[in-house]
Amino acid sequence: MGEMTRHSEVPGLPDEPGDVLREKCGVFGIFGHPDAAAITALGLHALQHRGQEAAGIVSFDGKRFHSERRLGLVGDTFSDRRVIDRLPGTSAVGHVRYSTTGETLLRNVQPLFAELDPFGFAIGHNGNLTNGLTLRRELVHDGAIMQSTTDTEVVLHLVARSHKPRFVDRFIDALRALEGAYSFVGLTNKKLVGARDPLGIRPLVLGMLDGCPILTSETCALDIIGAKYVRDIENGEVIIFDDKGAHSHKPFPPMPPRPCIFEYIYFARPDSIVGGRPVYQVRKTMGAQLAAESPAAADVIVPVPDSGVPAALGFSQASGIPFDLGIIRNHYVGRTFIEPTQQIRQLGVRLKHNANRAVVAGKRIVLVDDSIVRGTTSTKIVQMMRDAGAREVHFRIASPPITHPDYYGIDTPDKDKLLAATHSLDEMRQFIGADSLAFLSVDGIYKAMGYESRDPLRPQFTDHCFTGDYPTPLTDLTAARHTPRQLSLLAEAS
Ligand code: AMP
């Protein structure tokens, strides 16, 4: 954290910039099941890839809410039967969380819980609000006392301040104030609640187990418990489950969905079905499309594991060049992004991957990965392939160059740290040390998703990482109301 101050100079602004604007999470909720907490813990296991820094579950036993929130992996805490036993009740919501830099505070671990008038409310959030800081500032100015530095707490305050008699209307009042990306799962003493932002940027699906509804980020969390997938929650939909059944609300003007394309490229698990599309199949098609757009004369296609595997298979099948495992991954170290500093990240890459000399020595190889962010992974891996005797190394990336930062919960860094934002294609090739480098085109991504091309007037997906086309206002970044100190904290946070 260096010289960062612990005490914000500006009321309402969080004092740990690393904990601002950086939510990359998974959510799970179940209503009316005798094993609610244990099932939620299993669901969170399946969502571990969406957040590895902290996990939490809140349950309701008919009288009281119970909360267990810890730093670390799901299994570190929730494999322990004693912890599950402290979460009695037939309804529960859970959350896995991930943030990049700075210390993670226990008070930021979700689901957050508050005693409102007249009920308790627990909420978990996947996504990121683009006016979260602005709302926080207004609330704090108005006397709100914030316990955490997450956007999500703002939602609790907004629900608390609504004077509508029905819970759903209070929740909708809160949603109307929000900009950006959110998939929420919430729990009151009577209801399980879900909501997806008007564009449906982050995913949320409905499943059913033993007649009990489940809301969760990905279908892989349904598979792990043998639950049936029912449908995706629609963009702009608010859904409530209570003793009387399901109630769906559409409080926003209807608009075409724009789910985040990066879920398909990197973020979701390949065995999940997102928006009706199997992620694995989409990634293979992206690889095949890449082979058609940017072929390479080579002896072997080598995936960067695990993220590049489906695309590499697609590349291999489309090009007819054999697929082989030229890099072996150590599964017992976390994702490199977990490490806070560049130095440790670089070390992390070496911990994670090793060259399989038997496959690459003396060969012309095509390395396939899903994306380049800072260029750390690709640089290390090209060097590793050369050290292992590869004759030529051609890098193929199954997504377009990431030229713009994300503010919707995917957690790519600020512009100056994005390799493609600061380097031309040939400079990138030189930087990573490859003999050739090619990315999938933006239209190529849309082809892999089953479209002719990207519709420039009404893009079918949220794809700002590649196009700079942000589908919502970015109020926190642009608000003139921010002081220079706040803006510099925002910049540090990114
Ligand atoms: P970098 O080393 O910074 O270029 O990052 C690229 C690697 O990180 C690729 O292997 C990707 O699979 C992976 N990656 C891409 N986006 C993300 C993200 N948002 N969080 C964590 N890892 C990512």
Side-chain angles (χ1 to χ4, degrees), residues 25-181:
C25 306
V27 292
F28 187 96
I30 183 163
F31 186 76
H33 198 287
D35 292 321
I39 287 168
T40 303
L42 285 167
L44 294 183
H45 269 288
L47 299 176
Q48 187 77 82
H49 62 290
R50 298 184 75 87
Q52 294 143 28
E53 210 171 67
I57 298 179
V58 174
S59 71
F60 181 67
D61 68 4
K63 282 203 183 101
R64 291 182 53 215
F65 286 87
H66 305 267
S67 170
E68 293 285 334
R69 304 183 300 156
R70 302 276 175 83
L71 301 180
L73 298 174
V74 177
D76 295 345
T77 300
F78 293 100
S79 304
D80 184 344
R81 187 73 232 179
R82 288 167 302 182
V83 177
I84 301 296
D85 288 344
R86 291 201 293 270
L87 292 163
T90 57
S91 299
V93 286
H95 189 264
V96 284
R97 176 172 193 272
Y98 183 98
S99 75
T100 40
T101 57
E103 63 191 39
T104 298
L105 304 171
L106 192 52
R107 62 194 163 92
N108 281 343
V109 179
Q110 301 190 32
L112 297 185
F113 172 77
E115 291 288 358
L116 309 184
D117 177 22
F119 45 74
F121 184 40
I123 186 166
H125 175 197
N126 172 209
N128 203 88
L129 304 181
T130 51
N131 66 341
L133 286 177
T134 306
L135 290 171
R136 166 183 287 269
R137 193 160 174 257
E138 289 164 4
L139 286 162
V140 170
H141 184 74
D142 209 31
I145 296 168
M146 297 279 179
Q147 310 266 354
S148 78
T149 59
T150 71
D151 284 354
T152 316
E153 193 173 9
V154 164
V155 183
L156 282 179
H157 280 269
L158 292 172
V159 176
R161 274 154 201 253
S162 167
H163 297 297
K164 302 265 169 61
R166 291 196 312 162
F167 169 77
V168 59
D169 296 318
R170 295 175 71 178
F171 188 53
I172 288 170
D173 270 356
L175 298 185
R176 286 194 206 283
L178 310 183
E179 291 170 0

Side-chain angles (χ1 to χ4, degrees), residues 24 49 98 100 262 265-267 304-308 335-338 342 345 349 352-353 368-381 395 397 402 406 409-413 417-419 432:
K24 196 172 90 153
H49 62 290
Y98 183 98
T100 40
F262 219 70
I265 292 167
Y266 168 77
F267 204 27
V304 178
D306 294 326
S307 53
R335 286 187 178 190
T336 41
F337 266 55
I338 245 170
Q342 182 72 4
R345 250 196 303 275
V349 172
K352 202 162 84 168
H353 296 119
V368 180
D369 202 358
D370 68 293
S371 57
I372 289 182
V373 183
R374 297 173 176 84
T376 320
T377 309
S378 26
T379 306
K380 286 281 158 194
I381 278 177
F395 222 115
I397 304 296
I402 299 179
D406 176 72
I410 271 298
D411 175 40
T412 49
K417 299 193 189 74
L418 292 172
L419 190 68
I432 69 172

Side-chain angles (χ1 to χ4, degrees), residues 130 255 423 439:
T130 51
M255 57 176 93
H423 294 68
F439 292 82

